[in-house]
Amino acid sequence: MRSALPRPLDRLRLPAIVAPMFLTSNPDLVVAACSSGLLGALPALNQRTSAGFEAWLNEIEERLGSVSCPAPHAVNLIVHKSNPRLHADLEIVVRHKVPVVITAFGAVREVVDAVHSYGGLIFHDVASRRHAEKVAESGVDGLIALGAGAGGHTGHLSPFAAIAEVRQVFGGLIILAGAMSCGSDIVAARAMGADMVSMGTRFIATREAAVSDVQKQMMLAAAAADVLITPNLTGASATFMRPSIIAAGLDPDDLPHFGSPDATRESKSWRDIWSAGHGVGSISDVPSVAELCDRLQQEYQEAIHSLAVDPFRAVRHANQGEAR
Ligand SMILES: Cc1cc2nc3c(=O)[nH]c(=O)nc-3n(C[C@H](O)[C@H](O)[C@H](O)COP(=O)(O)O)c2cc1C
């Protein structure tokens, strides 16, 4: 863990990213996150066209232009042959000098060099040490270590193991993702050796997130046990809420294999079948992003304070008192 984050991350109020989320992140969520001091991220593919993506980027820049000292923002690019827009969207990112780029599904030197050409930072998701080793070679500035139970496409390792393994092969920034919902979780991640965290699920249940109230209410009622991890809906292991699978007329315990003829259906993953990570069990309200960020900061400071008080000594003294 570094004592200070590099520019422009040193402007953050907390070392946290409001994660890019397909069909969930929009300009309102990004602007609210950056105005509240967290790094807000937007998937380029949340708009149907590159022109639409650029229009959203213009809107975000304009709105943040009237905020005093906003946190930097990020764009998420899917680096995979299934994304025909990659080059057009990357050109827009470079033209706009987007401060941070988060790539997924492929770390390519050409994309890293393009982001570095204007001084941007680039982070990439990893789920194992082998994956981290490969991605590190591309020259990225940060690795997002996906822990078990993360929202969206998930990791499988305990966060303790994930951070330790990534650190063995990578000297840059480590960002932990997965199942964190409160400020003390951010402190815990930092204590484990992460420089930053990336929080997605917690921010779906906010007023600004671009999902229906029905989805937000389902999240409030859900526990970690309601989250199914399956490759059958998208082709890669991802977390989805069981009640949303049932509401789509499917049996969560008997899903046809992804790509098989039986998997043809009207309902779409992400749009009708909703992703949430294990952290959903600790969410009990739908605040504004500003309220949530104030709360996260307060919890963060309280956690640091309570650790500084040395709980072990306090327990020992209490035990000695009882013995007397
Ligand atoms: C609904 C949803 C959509 C997501 N979409 C994307 C995406 O488009 N691109 C991406 O890189 N990660 C995506 N993710 C993963 C998040 O960026 C982040 O890694 C994850 O939410 C962190 O775990 P948490 O949800 O447990 O906090 C998505 C996650 C969720 C819950």
Side-chain angles (χ1 to χ4, degrees):
M1 181 181 68
R2 273 152 198 75
S3 49
L5 292 172
R7 287 168 75 178
L9 305 175
D10 55 351
R11 295 212 309 266
L12 294 174
R13 174 184 180 189
L14 287 173
I17 301 173
V18 177
M21 290 180 284
F22 188 49
L23 304 186
T24 303
S25 313
N26 61 0
D28 284 350
L29 189 61
V30 174
V31 169
C34 297
S35 307
S36 304
L38 268 54
L39 195 149
L42 179 77
L45 294 180
N46 274 6
Q47 272 278 15
R48 281 175 190 274
T49 61
S50 293
F53 161 53
E54 186 162 25
W56 268 9
L57 213 45
N58 283 330
E59 180 188 336
I60 289 169
E61 289 164 356
E62 199 182 312
R63 288 170 64 184
L64 288 178
S66 58
V67 173
S68 106
C69 205
H73 58 284
V75 158
N76 173 228
L77 297 175
I78 302 300
V79 183
H80 190 260
K81 55 182 183 316
S82 64
N83 176 16
R85 276 176 43 191
L86 176 64
H87 286 101
D89 291 349
L90 180 62
E91 216 179 285
I92 293 168
V93 161
V94 172
R95 201 164 352 104
H96 284 253
K97 296 186 167 53
V98 174
V100 178
V101 173
I102 297 173
T103 48
F105 293 108
V108 179
R109 176 65 76 171
E110 179 201 346
V111 177
V112 174
D113 289 347
V115 175
H116 284 168
S117 71
Y118 63 86
L121 293 173
I122 179 161
F123 303 157
H124 191 86
D125 285 351
V126 292
S128 68
R129 172 161 53 185
R130 208 166 144 260
H131 192 190
E133 257 165 355
K134 248 181 102 192
V135 174
E137 284 170 13
S138 67
V140 295
D141 304 288
L143 291 181
I144 302 179
L146 296 173
H153 287 116
T154 186
H156 293 284
L157 293 178
S158 141
F160 290 97
I163 291 188
E165 293 222 340
V166 172
R167 188 48 90 208
Q168 283 169 27
V169 297
F170 184 66
L173 291 170
I174 294 185
I175 301 113
L176 180 66
M180 287 169 282
S181 303
C182 59
S184 56
D185 294 342
I186 306 174
V187 175
R190 301 257 298 159
M192 287 158 66
D195 298 292
M196 298 180 69
V197 303
S198 179
M199 297 168 82
T201 298
R202 173 59 268 199
F203 281 88
I204 306 175
T206 57
R207 279 192 232 144
E208 288 86 348
V211 305
S212 71
D213 285 343
V214 179
Q215 182 172 343
K216 292 176 189 175
Q217 290 305 317
M218 187 181 283
M219 291 179 73
L220 299 189
D226 296 312
V227 173
L228 177 73
I229 299 179
T230 178
N232 289 339
L233 289 167
T234 65
S237 257
T239 44
F240 287 95
M241 286 190 287
R242 284 173 170 274
S244 70
I245 299 172
I246 295 166
L250 299 169
D251 178 354
D253 298 311
D254 191 22
L255 288 170
H257 289 293
F258 182 74
S260 71
D262 296 348
T264 312
R265 56 174 189 272
E266 290 283 299
S267 57
K268 287 205 160 133
S269 305
W270 311 107
R271 187 194 68 184
D272 309 307
I273 301 176
W274 300 321
S275 177
H278 281 166
V280 74
S282 38
I283 299 174
S284 57
D285 61 357
V286 183
S288 69
V289 168
E291 285 162 354
L292 179 57
C293 291
D294 284 348
R295 188 195 302 166
L296 289 174
Q297 185 172 26
Q298 193 179 341
E299 292 165 346
Y300 184 87
Q301 284 165 344
E302 281 170 8
I304 288 175
H305 178 74
S306 68
L307 287 172
V309 164
D310 185 355
F312 292 111
R313 202 169 50 198
V315 170
R316 198 167 59 235
H317 281 191
N319 289 345
Q320 280 167 354
E322 272 170 27
R324 261 184 234 124

